[in-house]
Amino acid sequence: AQSVTQPDIHITVSEGASLELRCNYSYGATPYLFWYVQSPGQGLQLLLKYFSGDTLVQGIKGFEAEFKRSQSSFNLRKPSVHWSDAAEYFCAVGAGSNDYKLSFGAGTTVTVRA
Amino acid sequence: NAGVTQTPKFQVLKTGQSMTLQCAQDMNHNSMYWYRQDPGMGLRLIYYSASEGTTDKGEVPNGYNVSRLNKREFSLRLESAAPSQTSVYFCASSDGEDQPQHFGDGTRLSIL
């Protein structure tokens, strides 16, 4: 079964600074990878996804993520953070191939300071 | 554009009471899911329905039952609520196992 680790529970970043959130997965084959964002009291919104092809994927709100098979990682980045990016971020992995289960990381909470 | 709609948004129950959480999606998705979210644990899959007429257990199914009423609706039932089931419950839908899941806004459930 697949699993996901988000090593950072909480990150504080200054507005305008760059942000990188780490995600490591465990799965034998090439997984389906997702990043979701959750604002307080809200559901999860998809930021971006990786299924195959180009290992650098672009998402909404200026986010991008890079799939690195050799490191089993799918880190999320944003060059310049805005105060509205304060939220909780979840990495998720799916196996596909008739396996409908997504495994989520525990999440990283991002605080943006002025 | 409602997407995934969950009702109720908040609920307080006493131990031993029963409760059904409702979920409906208007995106014509085949697959639907129920998760629970607890602090520091991310989301854990309770049950899912790959297509209308099928349901399967996820990671934490004990104490829950589900019904896929039709293609649009997927309900989650707690037959005898326990304090350990205090959580935020999310319903999601997708167009297949390799497609992104779309989430509702959640039901915040407290069991006293």
Side-chain angles (χ1 to χ4, degrees), chain B residues 25-45:
Chain B
Q25 52 95 5
D26 63 2
M27 295 173 282
N28 202 35
H29 285 166
N30 288 314
S31 307
M32 298 185 74
Y33 312 80
W34 276 106
Y35 293 89
R36 60 177 289 173
Q37 183 180 30
D38 301 292
M41 302 187 74
L43 277 75
R44 293 180 292 168
L45 183 65

Side-chain angles (χ1 to χ4, degrees), chain A residues 7 11 33 46 50 61 71 73 75 82 85 89 98 106 113:
Chain A
I11 287 179
L33 294 160
L46 179 72
Y50 174 79
K61 305 186 180 189
Q71 298 177 18
S73 69
N75 294 347
H82 187 261
D85 294 322
Y89 293 79
N98 246 13
R113 59 180 173 221

Side-chain angles (χ1 to χ4, degrees), chain A residues 59-78:
Chain A
I60 62 171
K61 305 186 180 189
F63 285 92
E64 65 177 26
E66 186 172 12
F67 170 64
K68 292 186 176 180
R69 185 191 305 275
S70 61
Q71 298 177 18
S72 297
S73 69
F74 188 55
N75 294 347
L76 181 71
R77 298 193 293 255
K78 186 169 184 177

Side-chain angles (χ1 to χ4, degrees), chain A residues 5-22:
Chain A
T5 301
Q6 293 180 247
D8 304 303
I9 296 172
H10 188 218
I11 287 179
T12 299
V13 60
S14 297
E15 193 170 14
S18 63
L19 174 68
E20 182 168 15
L21 304 182
R22 295 183 290 164

Side-chain angles (χ1 to χ4, degrees), chain A residues 36 38 41 43 51 90 98, chain B residues 31 37 90 97-98 101 104 108:
Chain A
Y36 286 88
Q38 184 181 31
F51 288 170
F90 293 94
N98 246 13
Chain B
S31 307
Q37 183 180 30
F90 286 99
E97 77 274 20
D98 58 349
Q101 294 181 15
R108 284 143 188 84

Side-chain angles (χ1 to χ4, degrees), chain B:
Chain B
N1 254 5
V4 179
T5 302
Q6 293 183 234
T7 55
K9 294 190 184 306
F10 301 93
Q11 185 70 47
V12 179
L13 294 178
K14 295 181 179 178
T15 298
Q17 286 185 317
S18 62
M19 171 80 189
T20 299
L21 308 186
Q22 306 287 352
C23 174
Q25 52 95 5
D26 63 2
M27 295 173 282
N28 202 35
H29 285 166
N30 288 314
S31 307
M32 298 185 74
Y33 312 80
W34 276 106
Y35 293 89
R36 60 177 289 173
Q37 183 180 30
D38 301 292
M41 302 187 74
L43 277 75
R44 293 180 292 168
L45 183 65
I46 304 171
Y47 271 93
Y48 67 99
S49 171
S51 60
E52 187 178 356
T54 69
T55 61
D56 285 285
K57 295 178 181 179
E59 182 183 355
V60 288
N62 291 346
Y64 305 95
N65 286 300
V66 290
S67 295
R68 183 75 182 266
L69 305 171
N70 48 56
K71 191 171 186 178
R72 289 186 64 248
E73 298 173 287
F74 188 39
S75 63
L76 177 72
R77 183 162 177 84
L78 288 69
E79 289 291 352
S80 179
S84 61
Q85 294 178 304
T86 292
S87 188
V88 182
Y89 291 86
F90 286 99
C91 177
S93 70
S94 74
D95 212 10
E97 77 274 20
D98 58 349
Q99 297 300 314
Q101 294 181 15
H102 299 259
F103 287 80
D105 286 340
T107 295
R108 284 143 188 84
L109 183 61
S110 293
I111 298 160
L112 307 177

